[in-house]
């Protein structure tokens, strides 16, 4: 029973890590957009008109790029909001904590490695190569990734 509680906490911590990951990126991008908008409005007309226009165009291009990143991040945020926080499915799906004989994966969004209570959990999207391999599998299933055979020991 203690092991099950430990896995529930690990899953909850991995989910919270993903939320923090998204919130930090969101704050950073919004800050960069605000800085660009300030630069764009404070850009004064200089005697070199072409140079001024080129500077404004470069700022605008950067603003568009950040806008695209923001839109992608909002999609990621929406996906994360759909991740079930409770339940212990028999097959791997969105929100599953997948324990293999070598690694632990949390299927939600690609947020990197989370080190919780001495265990490394790789927070991955279902669209990643490894996510596609484990999706729909169950305890005891074996899959091959990067030339290595991995066995699913538990799904939470």
């Amino acid at each position: 029973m203690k092991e099950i509680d430990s896995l529930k906490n690990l899953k909850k911590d991995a989910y919270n890590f993903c939320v923090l990951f998204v919130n930090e990126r969101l704050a950073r991008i919004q800050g960069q957009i605000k800085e660009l908008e300030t630069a764009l409005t404070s850009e004064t007309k200089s005697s070199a008109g072409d140079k001024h226009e080129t500077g404004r165009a470069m700022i605008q291009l950067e603003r568009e790029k950040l806008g695209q990143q923001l839109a992608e991040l909002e999609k990621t945020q929406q996906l994360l909001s759909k991740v079930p926080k409770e339940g212990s499915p028999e097959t791997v799906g969105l929100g599953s904590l997948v324990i293999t004989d070598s690694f632990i994966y949390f299927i939600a969004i690609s947020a990197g490695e989370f080190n919780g209570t001495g265990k490394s959990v790789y927070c991955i999207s279902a669209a990643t190569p490894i996510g596609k391999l484990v999706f729909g599998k169950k305890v005891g299933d074996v899959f091959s990734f990067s030339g290595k055979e991995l066995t699913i020991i538990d799904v939470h």
Side-chain angles (χ1 to χ4, degrees), residues 59-156:
I59 291 171
Q60 192 59 38
L61 284 173
E62 188 63 26
R63 169 67 178 89
E64 288 173 14
K65 190 169 84 174
L66 287 171
Q68 290 171 346
Q69 289 176 13
L70 185 62
E72 283 300 312
L73 194 57
E74 287 170 349
K75 287 180 192 173
T76 301
Q77 199 172 32
Q78 285 177 346
L79 176 65
L80 190 57
S81 71
K82 294 176 183 173
V83 172
K85 293 162 201 70
E86 294 296 321
S88 183
E90 287 188 18
T91 59
V92 176
L94 189 63
S96 293
L97 186 69
V98 182
I99 294 102
T100 70
D101 51 356
S102 300
F103 304 103
I104 301 174
Y105 300 102
F106 178 60
I107 312 296
I109 63 166
S110 294
E113 183 180 359
F114 164 68
N115 290 303
T117 60
K119 295 181 181 182
S120 288
V121 178
Y122 295 95
C123 300
I124 63 171
S125 163
T128 62
I130 191 95
K132 289 177 183 176
L133 284 173
V134 299
F135 211 85
K137 298 231 183 296
K138 54 186 181 280
V139 174
D141 285 353
V142 177
F143 62 96
S144 183
F145 183 71
S146 295
K148 185 174 181 175
E149 296 256 321
L150 300 169
T151 304
I152 297 176
I153 297 170
D154 200 359
V155 177
H156 236 14

Side-chain angles (χ1 to χ4, degrees), residues 18-34 66-78 80 109:
C18 290
V19 170
L20 184 64
F21 173 84
V22 169
N23 289 342
E24 285 175 351
R25 286 195 61 203
L26 189 60
R28 188 180 76 244
I29 290 171
Q30 288 172 334
Q32 289 173 324
I33 289 172
K34 191 173 252 179
L66 287 171
Q68 290 171 346
Q69 289 176 13
L70 185 62
E72 283 300 312
L73 194 57
E74 287 170 349
K75 287 180 192 173
T76 301
Q77 199 172 32
Q78 285 177 346
L80 190 57
I109 63 166

